[in-house]
Amino acid sequence: MAFKLSLIFFTSFLLLHSCIARRNDLQEQQECNFDRLSALQPTSSVEAEGGRTEFWNPNNKEFRCAGVAFLKHTIRRRGLFVPSYTNSVLMVFVEEGRGFYGAVVPGCPETFQSPQEQNGDRPRDRHQRVHNFKKGDLLVIPAGVAHWMYNNGDQDLRVVVMFDTTNRANQLDNIPQRFFILGNPQGKQQGQQEQQLIQQFQGNSILKGFDAETLAQAFKMNRDMGSKLKGENVKEGHIITVEKELQVERPERQQQEEQSQQGEGQGQEQRKEHGNGLEETSCSVRMRVNLDNLDRADIFNPQAGHLISLNSHHLPILRDVQLSAERGHLRKNAIMGPFWVLNAHSMMYPTDGEARIQVVNNQGKQVFDERVEKGQLILVPQNFAVLIQAGNQGFRWVAFKTNDNAMITPIAGRASVFRGLPASILANILQISEEEASNLKYSNAETIMFSPQQRSPADKFVRMLI
């Protein structure tokens, strides 16, 4: 009897749990129906000695449903973003400026070393590879990999960062979390709202929580150094200003650009140089590519613009992180679309100009129709139809996508869905003649990016009368 009661109780518990889980799934699906989209702006910012960080609200519905979060760093001249790592894969787009960065991959050798000084008092400094970057570069930083960034240019460095919080590499919750390794990144206390964002996005130095004496013993240094490691009596803020130009060993700019263009060939040479398997798979992997190089353009229309797609075929690390990107440019009044992305969400970030963007869901409802401009973010959900028309200043953007091989399906133009349908199907559905259907199919020979329609003098005269 007791066994039967236990079995009934256990079965009832499973059914109740199943119902609750199903209800939660239904609520989540209803929450993520994307019935209305918005052009999103940063909601808060945190100042530091060497720059500023702006945050988009990570609790925004669009971000939660897409599993991403965003922030933007402005790093001033000689500003150093102190070393840290995150629970999420990062995609970093360099909007303005130039500099260099390092990513410390566990188990990889310190292949860069400083020259021996004449007096020989100081030992050579050895460290992992340092990379130059410039405007238009996209950087991919794996979860848990320590990295830092420095502005050695003559203007502010601006980078926009996407956290892929639902990436399989993240074993924590879906809140973006940054772990600083050194310094006093939180600095002075902010207001309550800012402090919550700092705690959520920024975190603090992980060494701060350890005992100074024990830290000193671990590094075989004195206790004063242990206190400094904890962040005591050091510069405040997550971006500090270096008093003199930061000196680290790195390739000359031109030399590194040539090495970057060699791509896989360079990786093969490094694999021959290093013997163990970890170095072959991790230490020589490329994490950077430039998206402003027109030689990479997949679509180029002199009257309309160009589109550069970046996927795992171009940058193999994207296969591991399951992300991709694109860089687009529309000329004055040119149009892109209509189209849909069949296997990914897209987060569009305008970098120049403005455009009218229209997004339509599966119910034929227009969920977005606004003019967007530089610095805003808009999520375009998977399979939603999109139409973009540039303004009088043209339109340039970068898009982050949640699939390593995101694919676009055009609805109009050459290689479109309409081109793939028999004319008779179009004729019967639209109640037009087959000749009209054929004209509709072949009326536009351009590919997804369409040049502005030239109006006749009579059209202009009619518009003036209206």
Side-chain angles (χ1 to χ4, degrees):
M1 183 67 178
F3 175 76
K4 289 183 178 180
L5 287 174
S6 300
L7 183 61
I8 292 171
F9 175 79
F10 181 69
T11 305
S12 301
F13 175 79
L14 287 179
L15 289 173
L16 178 61
H17 181 75
S18 176
C19 290
I20 292 174
R22 190 175 303 168
R23 183 177 61 191
N24 290 339
D25 290 343
L26 182 60
Q27 288 175 346
E28 185 175 349
Q29 291 173 6
Q30 290 173 345
E31 183 185 14
C32 295
N33 60 9
F34 300 113
D35 56 348
R36 188 63 189 169
L37 303 176
S38 303
L40 304 172
Q41 305 266 16
T43 56
S44 298
S45 65
V46 175
E47 294 288 337
E49 176 194 40
R52 180 179 74 257
T53 296
E54 300 168 79
F55 303 91
W56 278 266
N57 187 351
N59 294 319
N60 181 277
K61 171 185 169 181
E62 284 99 318
F63 290 158
R64 287 203 316 272
C65 292
V68 299
F70 279 87
L71 55 77
K72 181 177 179 179
H73 299 304
T74 299
I75 304 175
R76 302 189 188 99
R77 177 78 177 89
R78 295 202 312 275
L80 171 66
F81 189 92
V82 301
S84 66
Y85 59 93
T86 69
N87 65 326
S88 308
V89 174
L90 303 182
M91 294 190 82
V92 182
F93 179 74
V94 183
E95 186 178 358
E96 294 288 345
R98 64 181 176 87
F100 53 85
Y101 79 102
V104 183
V105 181
C108 295
E110 298 118 4
T111 54
F112 284 32
Q113 64 181 29
S114 62
Q116 184 70 48
E117 294 187 3
Q118 291 183 353
N119 56 21
D121 293 338
R122 289 181 56 189
R124 290 185 179 183
D125 181 38
R126 298 173 183 268
H127 55 79
Q128 287 195 19
R129 174 184 298 237
V130 175
H131 308 264
N132 295 319
F133 61 80
K134 62 181 180 179
K135 179 180 178 179
D137 277 358
L138 183 85
L139 318 178
V140 180
I141 310 293
V145 170
H147 57 278
W148 54 269
M149 185 173 290
Y150 178 70
N151 178 2
N152 71 334
D154 54 5
Q155 66 179 101
D156 285 352
L157 169 65
R158 292 185 174 88
V159 298
V160 60
V161 183
M162 185 189 82
F163 292 69
D164 182 18
T165 58
T166 55
N167 193 281
R168 62 187 179 186
N170 176 21
Q171 300 296 304
L172 301 178
D173 56 31
N174 292 339
I175 298 174
Q177 299 181 40
R178 186 180 293 277
F179 300 78
F180 285 96
I181 301 173
L182 290 168
N184 184 15
Q186 288 195 0
K188 297 178 180 179
Q189 296 295 309
Q190 310 286 327
Q192 184 176 3
Q193 182 181 9
E194 288 79 6
Q195 188 64 22
Q196 289 175 350
L197 275 171
I198 293 173
Q199 291 173 351
Q200 190 171 38
F201 263 108
Q202 290 289 95
N204 209 331
S205 170
I206 54 176
L207 297 185
K208 186 175 183 178
F210 293 115
D211 173 69
E213 185 71 34
T214 311
L215 275 177
Q217 293 178 24
F219 282 89
K220 297 190 181 301
M221 300 294 289
N222 58 39
R223 196 183 189 288
D224 289 341
M225 185 59 69
S227 297
K228 283 186 174 292
L229 288 170
K230 282 174 60 68
E232 298 175 9
N233 301 318
V234 298
K235 284 191 172 184
E236 296 178 340
H238 61 295
I239 306 172
I240 65 171
T241 300
V242 176
E243 299 302 330
K244 296 181 180 180
E245 194 67 60
L246 189 66
Q247 299 297 323
V248 298
E249 295 305 316
R250 69 187 196 281
E252 293 296 329
R253 189 174 186 81
Q254 182 177 1
Q255 178 184 353
Q256 191 178 36
E257 289 297 331
E258 293 172 353
Q259 291 175 345
S260 175
Q261 292 173 7
Q262 291 175 4
E264 293 300 319
Q266 180 188 24
Q268 293 293 338
E269 292 175 4
Q270 290 177 342
R271 291 185 183 96
K272 293 176 183 177
E273 179 181 352
H274 304 303
N276 68 61
L278 178 64
E279 291 170 0
E280 290 178 359
T281 57
S282 301
C283 300
S284 60
V285 66
R286 286 192 303 147
M287 299 182 183
R288 176 183 63 91
V289 70
N290 190 268
L291 293 181
D292 281 347
N293 183 357
L294 281 180
D295 290 340
R296 297 181 179 273
D298 300 281
I299 297 171
F300 182 81
N301 184 333
Q303 285 74 43
H306 67 266
L307 189 70
I308 299 173
S309 298
L310 178 68
N311 57 39
S312 56
H313 299 294
H314 310 116
L315 193 65
I317 191 175
L318 294 176
R319 184 177 299 111
D320 296 327
V321 301
Q322 291 290 294
L323 296 172
S324 59
E326 74 177 15
R327 180 74 159 139
H329 175 217
L330 283 173
R331 297 188 180 277
K332 175 182 177 180
N333 298 326
I335 291 175
M336 179 173 175
F339 68 94
W340 74 85
V341 180
L342 65 91
N343 57 352
H345 295 314
S346 301
M347 275 62 64
M348 293 183 63
Y349 177 80
T351 59
D352 294 285
E354 64 168 2
R356 179 188 178 190
I357 299 181
Q358 302 175 62
V359 183
V360 178
N361 67 9
N362 69 318
Q363 300 296 322
K365 177 185 176 183
Q366 192 176 75
V367 296
F368 186 84
D369 182 9
E370 294 181 22
R371 301 201 75 83
V372 297
E373 57 187 16
K374 180 177 180 178
Q376 294 181 315
L377 265 169
I378 173 176
L379 165 69
V380 179
Q382 175 189 6
N383 291 332
F384 281 41
V386 191
L387 184 62
I388 306 170
Q389 182 165 27
N392 291 329
Q393 303 301 317
F395 183 60
R396 195 184 297 267
W397 74 94
V398 61
F400 307 90
K401 302 190 176 185
T402 57
N403 190 297
D404 69 298
N405 190 25
M407 301 177 67
I408 289 177
T409 303
I411 299 174
R414 194 169 73 243
S416 67
V417 170
F418 268 45
R419 285 289 186 99
L421 293 174
S424 58
I425 289 181
L426 297 175
N428 278 278
I429 294 174
L430 300 177
Q431 294 294 288
I432 58 178
S433 68
E434 294 218 11
E435 181 180 357
E436 289 174 314
S438 181
N439 290 337
L440 177 64
K441 281 185 62 172
Y442 300 104
S443 61
N444 190 348
E446 296 175 298
T447 303
I448 208 170
M449 287 189 157
F450 310 136
S451 52
Q453 185 175 358
Q454 299 296 323
R455 294 188 177 91
S456 66
D459 290 337
K460 294 180 181 179
F461 179 71
V462 169
R463 288 175 62 87
M464 290 175 62
L465 291 178
I466 294 174

